[in-house]
Each structure stands twice: as C-alpha cells, then as structure tokens.
Amino acid sequence: MSNSPRMIDVRQSVLSKNDRLAQELRARFDAAGVRVLNLLSSPGAGKTRLLEETLRRLGERYRVAALVGDLATDNDARRLARSGAAVRQIETGGLCHLEADLVTSHLEGWDLAGFDFLFIENVGNLVCPTGYDLGEHGRVVLMAVTEGEDKPLKYPGTFQWANLVLISKLDMAEAAEFDAAAAHESIESVHPDVTIIATSARTGAGMGEWMAWLEALRAD
Amino acid sequence: MSNSPRMIDVRQSVLSKNDRLAQELRARFDAAGVRVLNLLSSPGAGKTRLLEETLRRLGERYRVAALVGDLATDNDARRLARSGAAVRQIETGGLCHLEADLVTSHLEGWDLAGFDFLFIENVGNLVCPTGYDLGEHGRVVLMAVTEGEDKPLKYPGTFQWANLVLISKLDMAEAAEFDAAAAHESIESVHPDVTIIATSARTGAGMGEWMAWLEALRAD
C-alpha cells in the first residue's frame, strides 16, 4: 500500500466501516455469553498446532468453536475439526488479514449462545491484521522461539495491541538457541506489563497457565 | 485492504507507478552491471542470518551490497554491516513491503557500478511484497524448516513468483520434525520446476549450491 493521501482516505473509510461491524459483533458475542479471542502471528509460528491442543483441552469442560483464516486452502479447518470442536475456514483469497464482515458472514447459522469460547485464527501476518478489530475480547499474539527475539521491535504495532503474548514452540528453544531474557525484554520494551506465557503444544509446557488465563477472561 | 472497487483502482494505480519505477531501476542495474536479488519470507525465517553468511562468502570474491527493509529498527543493517559489505536500512514505518521508490531513494549516493551483487531483504511478510517489483533479476523465497511444510499452499502468490526457493534452518530439521518430501511437494504443486536448495547458514549446508546459483545468475 502506498502512503499517498488518497490511499489513506480509502483505508480510513475501510477501517471505520470495520470498526462499526466489529462493535456489532462484540455486542452479539456479549449477548450470547461467548468469549472471543483473536490469534495473530507470523506464518508458521504454530497458531494451528496451539489451537488444536487448546480446543482439545478446553473441549473437556467447555463448548468451543474456531474460525480459521488463510489466503488459500482449508487444511487448518480440517485439522482442527478432529478436536471435535465446531470449526469453519475463512479463505480470504489474497487478503492478508481477516475483517469483521468476513467473521460475520462465516458465523451464519451458528448459535453463538451454544459456545463458551470462540477462537479466530487470523491470517499468518505480523502487519496487516493489526488494524482490524474483529469484535474480540482478547488479542493473543504468538511468537515462536525459532523466529528471533527481536520480532516485537520490528513489528511493534502487533505486539502493542496484544492482551497476551504466547511464546510458542518452547520445545525447540535449545535447538534455536533461544534467549528468553532477550525475548522478554523486546516484548516489554514495546508493551510494558503485558502477560507473557511460554508454551509448547507438543510437550504441554505452559498450557495449564494458558488455560487459566482463558478461564479468568471468561470469569471477567 | 478491502476488496471494494475503489480500493482496487487505487491499488492498481500504485502498482503501475511501481512497475514503471521498477523498470527504471532494472535499466540502471543492468547498465551498472550489478545483479540484484529480492529476498522474501515470513518474519523469522532467517533472511538476515542467511544474508550475513552470503555477504561474508561472496565478499571474498565479489563486491556486495545490501538494502534491508523493516517496519522499524535498524538492527539488521547494523548486523549485516559487520560483514564489511555496504549496507543500508530501509525503515518502512508501517508499510508491510518495499516499493521501488523506497529502493530508488535509498540507493542515492551509491555508485552501483562498484557492486557485483545487491541484495534487497524485503519486509518479513508472505503476502504484501509479492505484487511489488523492485527491479530485481531474481526473487528468492525462504521457507524455514520450522514453519510447516504447507506454507506454499497457504501463500501461493509468493511462491509462484520465486526464481529460487531456499529452505532455511536445515540444522533444525530434526527438532522440527521437518518432512522434506512434503515440503518439496507443496512447493512444486504451486510452482513446478522451481529450483529448491536446502540450506543452513549455521552449519553451511547448501551454501555452496546457493553461491553457485548466484554465480550462474551473474554469468547469465
């Protein structure tokens, strides 16, 4: 996208339309009593793998659903549906983020009051999704130990708006020579006091703490 | 970005302006005899680490330079400058890709005839940079073994336009349970016959083959 004034005008009008739709969504979610999380990360940070494990664990006590965004393919929806949760794929066809109207149209026919949690897995991208409110109650940003500790400094917008940062793939920390202190420092320099949980969907590390965070959000 | 007609109009006008500037850049590069590579990947796929090792190796026989794009910070330029190569940072200030005019303005004062190779490290993003020609002679897409073998299926646009796919972080293949056959199959399903080289900047695996590919491009 260019920085030309005309482009910015159009972008602002798109964003304000999105904000209006997002407010409507949030009102629907609140009325239905479902807690909604927007998951953001770069491609390959492990959102789907984490979500798979999250749906499985939460599914033992709660009614859970997921919307999964990708430019192309319904691989992730098929993978997540194995957890038994209600899952729908949103194929954006080239769009690098989800927008509130895509969420609205993909909720059609679902009884939201039948869910306790709805996860929206955004398109893998550390830039585009940031400006688009989807009516969520919490924005969760994943950062894999394999990505380099400085990602929050390079993509500050995404991390600044996070309600929670999940460090993912902790099982690969040693292979990646991950420096946990440096990662925390990077995150905190762009977003002081944000909650950070280090997780591995593979080993289960940190998953209990993540479940507790979700349950606290529900109790809010 | 919305799919509304007005947005598409603006986008097409931005793209055609970019294409014109990219053609001018390519003419300048050709006249100066410098070979230019545009490096794309998701955040954290190891572009900078690979480039660091590439500049070091190529620098023994060639005059090399790099432009490094990021939304924020000049971390990468400082890191790459240690190789002794000429390096400049392009901070995009929120823009999720490089554009030809940013490349043009950051070349100012450089004598292009003084370089054999110029590498342009794009912003870490598997969507936005795809439509923007930077006047390069080759487009190199990195895909880390830690990202999941299906990334080409999910981000087909970026892989379809690659002249070379570099699989990176091969040293972590075992920890990531990387399935090389599945990765090749994904890449080839969106871009048949593209050259694929598996590399590790850390161990040096595949670096010789990558250097040979670059030298062949130069001889073209």
Side-chain angles (χ1 to χ4, degrees), chain A residues 27-35 63 112-113 115-117 137 218:
Chain A
R28 279 179 65 193
F29 295 149
D30 287 341
V34 56
R35 283 297 184 183
R63 300 160 303 167
L112 290 175
F115 302 129
D116 299 306
F117 288 99
H137 299 103
R218 186 165 167 71

Side-chain angles (χ1 to χ4, degrees), chain A residues 75-88:
Chain A
N75 292 359
D76 287 355
R78 284 189 284 116
R79 192 169 146 196
L80 291 173
R82 294 198 303 253
S83 69
V87 180
R88 283 183 180 167

Side-chain angles (χ1 to χ4, degrees), chain B:
Chain B
M1 240 179 308
S2 156
N3 280 320
S4 72
R6 200 177 152 207
M7 183 60 103
I8 288 171
D9 286 352
V10 179
R11 189 175 150 86
Q12 281 171 346
S13 123
V14 171
L15 280 175
S16 73
K17 181 189 157 212
N18 186 81
D19 282 345
R20 206 173 53 245
L21 291 173
Q23 280 166 21
E24 289 172 19
L25 275 174
R26 194 173 288 107
R28 280 179 64 192
F29 295 149
D30 287 341
V34 56
R35 284 297 186 184
V36 181
L37 285 305
N38 183 0
L39 266 62
L40 281 74
S41 79
S42 61
K47 284 187 302 306
T48 310
R49 181 71 186 84
L50 181 100
L51 195 47
E52 204 171 6
E53 187 61 18
T54 302
L55 296 177
R56 196 188 63 73
R57 290 182 182 232
L58 274 187
E60 294 169 6
R61 300 177 47 196
Y62 297 99
R63 298 161 303 168
V64 288
L67 293 176
V68 196
D70 272 304
L71 269 70
T73 83
D74 63 350
N75 293 358
D76 287 356
R78 283 188 285 116
R79 192 169 145 196
L80 290 173
R82 293 198 302 253
S83 69
V87 180
R88 282 184 181 166
Q89 182 81 42
I90 305 179
E91 285 188 50
T92 68
L95 201 66
C96 57
H97 57 267
L98 293 180
E99 295 187 5
D101 62 349
L102 282 171
V103 172
T104 304
S105 63
H106 283 81
L107 291 176
E108 216 165 285
W110 266 359
D111 174 18
L112 290 175
F115 301 129
D116 299 307
F117 288 100
L118 168 65
F119 294 88
I120 306 175
E121 182 185 333
N122 221 308
V123 177
N125 199 302
L126 279 182
V127 186
C128 312
T130 305
Y132 292 85
D133 184 0
L134 305 179
E136 71 267 15
H137 300 103
R139 195 172 275 207
V140 179
V141 176
L142 266 76
M143 166 182 167
V145 298
T146 50
E147 282 179 65
E149 297 80 0
D150 62 347
K151 287 301 160 292
L153 306 175
K154 290 184 172 180
Y155 302 88
T158 297
F159 285 85
Q160 272 156 7
W161 290 99
N163 298 99
L164 172 69
V165 176
L166 288 182
I167 293 174
S168 58
K169 306 194 185 183
L170 195 61
D171 54 287
M172 280 200 267
E174 202 179 319
E177 295 176 8
F178 176 67
D179 182 338
H184 277 247
E185 199 178 313
S186 292
I187 296 166
E188 283 157 6
S189 75
V190 300
H191 190 158
D193 303 324
V194 70
T195 304
I196 304 170
I197 306 176
T199 63
S200 164
R202 200 189 271 175
T203 66
M207 292 300 291
E209 202 180 335
W210 159 231
M211 293 300 107
W213 188 90
L214 288 168
E215 294 192 287
L217 183 79
R218 186 165 166 72
D220 255 2

